[in-house]
Amino acid sequence: MSTQQKTGGTGMLVTIAYRNIWRNLRRTMFCFAAVGIAVFFIIVYWSMIGGVQKGIRDLVQIFDLGHVRVVSEQYDADSEFMPVQYPVADGKNWKEMAEEVKKIPGVRAVFPRIATRATLQESTTKHAVLWGLNVEDEMAENTFNMTDRSNGLVEGRYPAPGANECAVGRVFAENSELKIGDRIPLKTVSAQFSDKMWSPEITGIFNFDYLKFDERFIIVDFERLQKLLVMGEGTQQLIVYADEEKLSKPIADELQKAFGEGSVVSEWRDNYWAAVMESITPIYTTVFMVFLIVASLLIINTVVMIIHERIKEIGMMGCLGMTRREIVTVFFFESLFLAAFGALIGVTIGGTLVGIGSNYPIRLGDLVGSTFSEMPLANAIFFNFNPMKLVYAWLLGVAVASIFTLIPSLKSAFVEPVEALRR
């Protein structure tokens, strides 16, 4: 009869290992806690960083570049000044350009935009940005307030097409003591470098929960601003949205070919902050691994203690016919069970917290104020709940803890049965 038959095979070894982990409940609980806490923090930080990345990505795509943006080369060089004298493709009719762009496979929508600086004449807030949009179309495409998942309007309505109207941010209205029905006398500079005086009526107040826009931007109808700035049928920016985010690069390549020299085509990944957040992924992955390794040290220590305390038991197992491989298997499965159950506890608690945080955001802006106003970061940060990440975190916890306990498990194989029984 073989040794496998005597010992009952792998199933019996697994059963022995499972029973052994409950022989010292206090020690087992400590191991569960160590791995569980490590996996818990991995899930929470992973989801929080994922939420920040998604928040920045969404803000860049909605408020800045879309999935792809086309501007003139001169505008791109002086973009911080928001010049309007350098329209896309030498001022060609934006509607004709949009129709051509829509023929590219994967393009979902194309919008014109104008953003230019304005000086306010009779307001405590002296400077603002006029943001010309095809409001109705843009609001149908994007969710401008990601916290409430709405168009962000809190009072009144957005400006009507072609009307001498505007909508202002909640913070802007509070700081300037403005309300619905008030007019905002302002001055801006046209594409012909002439001063343009304008006094649009406030018809709406919005709250995008994005401080940069809520305190500085005045939304106006695109065609009304286009006419005021004497831009003909041209546009300062052409914003393109794809059917899927992953199509941004091929669409950008097609647009660069179509518009050629003199135009700059940027996809959302070209945004500085989006690139920074993508680049830190290896850094926080390394931090997570350190968490797990530190937690694994407790399991390593526990396994070493178990082997030391059960020397005679190991000797007896050898005398009863168990091979070195089977003894190692028993101790390895004990380590595996400690890691698996501990990681499961961490996943359960961490997943519950993240699930709640995906619906009830952290009000980051309320905590830090305007510290990060130049960073595309909304006031509210949602945890990024992803069931697959919970699975990955569990597998990562089990894998790292098990690998690091393999060496102390092997130690049990080198205990000679006769020597062990003498101790």
Side-chain angles (χ1 to χ4, degrees), residues 138-379:
E138 292 248 21
M139 294 298 169
E141 176 66 27
N142 291 312
T143 300
F144 278 76
N145 185 313
M146 290 179 290
T147 303
D148 298 332
R149 297 177 173 88
S150 68
N151 65 5
L153 197 64
V154 295
E155 187 178 349
R157 60 175 175 80
Y158 283 111
N164 187 32
E165 299 172 345
C166 70
V168 299
R170 175 187 57 82
V171 179
F172 180 95
E174 290 175 356
N175 292 343
S176 304
E177 299 181 348
L178 295 171
K179 60 184 184 301
I180 300 292
D182 290 345
R183 290 190 174 273
I184 308 178
L186 56 84
K187 181 180 73 173
T188 187
V189 179
S190 74
Q192 297 177 340
F193 300 100
S194 59
D195 289 342
K196 292 292 182 177
M197 310 301 293
W198 194 26
S199 185
E201 178 184 351
I202 298 175
T203 59
I205 295 176
F206 62 83
N207 177 29
F208 294 157
D209 220 13
Y210 180 18
L211 186 60
K212 178 179 176 180
F213 275 71
D214 292 343
E215 70 177 3
R216 302 182 193 174
F217 277 63
I218 300 173
I219 295 178
V220 297
D221 175 65
F222 171 80
E223 291 187 357
R224 184 70 184 85
L225 186 58
Q226 182 190 50
K227 184 180 295 184
L228 177 73
L229 298 175
V230 197
M231 296 185 67
E233 297 301 319
T235 182
Q236 181 194 59
Q237 306 171 43
L238 208 58
I239 305 296
V240 180
Y241 287 98
D243 290 328
E244 296 180 73
E245 190 179 88
K246 64 182 180 181
L247 297 175
S248 299
K249 186 65 169 67
I251 289 175
D253 292 340
E254 288 296 320
L255 287 174
Q256 191 63 69
K257 292 177 185 177
F259 283 87
E261 294 183 5
S263 296
V264 176
V265 179
S266 307
E267 61 166 325
W268 67 269
R269 292 181 184 85
D270 295 327
N271 177 272
Y272 171 78
W273 291 107
V276 166
M277 291 306 297
E278 290 293 323
S279 68
I280 69 171
T281 299
I283 297 175
Y284 70 74
T285 300
T286 302
V287 173
F288 295 159
M289 293 297 290
V290 171
F291 278 155
L292 274 176
I293 291 171
V294 171
S296 299
L297 291 176
L298 181 57
I299 297 184
I300 293 171
N301 186 55
T302 301
V303 173
V304 172
M305 289 173 60
I306 290 172
I307 293 169
H308 180 74
E309 291 175 0
R310 288 159 56 188
I311 287 293
K312 288 189 177 181
E313 182 180 328
I314 292 171
M316 187 175 295
M317 292 164 70
C319 291
L320 291 173
M322 290 184 68
T323 65
R324 287 181 172 179
R325 181 178 179 181
E326 290 170 333
I327 294 172
V328 170
T329 300
V330 169
F331 284 98
F332 177 71
F333 273 112
E334 285 189 41
S335 305
L336 188 63
F337 283 130
L338 291 172
F341 288 128
L344 183 61
I345 292 171
V347 166
T348 302
I349 299 174
T352 301
L353 179 62
V354 168
I356 295 172
S358 65
N359 292 294
Y360 299 95
I362 300 172
R363 304 293 296 182
L364 187 64
D366 293 341
L367 298 175
V368 301
S370 59
T371 303
F372 301 106
S373 60
E374 293 303 321
M375 184 178 180
L377 192 62
N379 181 33

Side-chain angles (χ1 to χ4, degrees), residues 112-157:
R113 285 183 186 174
I114 299 171
T116 187
R117 299 187 186 281
T119 302
L120 309 188
Q121 304 295 309
E122 300 175 6
S123 172
T124 54
T125 302
K126 295 302 180 184
H127 301 284
V129 175
L130 294 176
W131 200 30
L133 307 176
N134 278 344
V135 180
E136 187 174 337
D137 294 339
E138 292 248 21
M139 294 298 169
E141 176 66 27
N142 291 312
T143 300
F144 278 76
N145 185 313
M146 290 179 290
T147 303
D148 298 332
R149 297 177 173 88
S150 68
N151 65 5
L153 197 64
V154 295
E155 187 178 349
R157 60 175 175 80

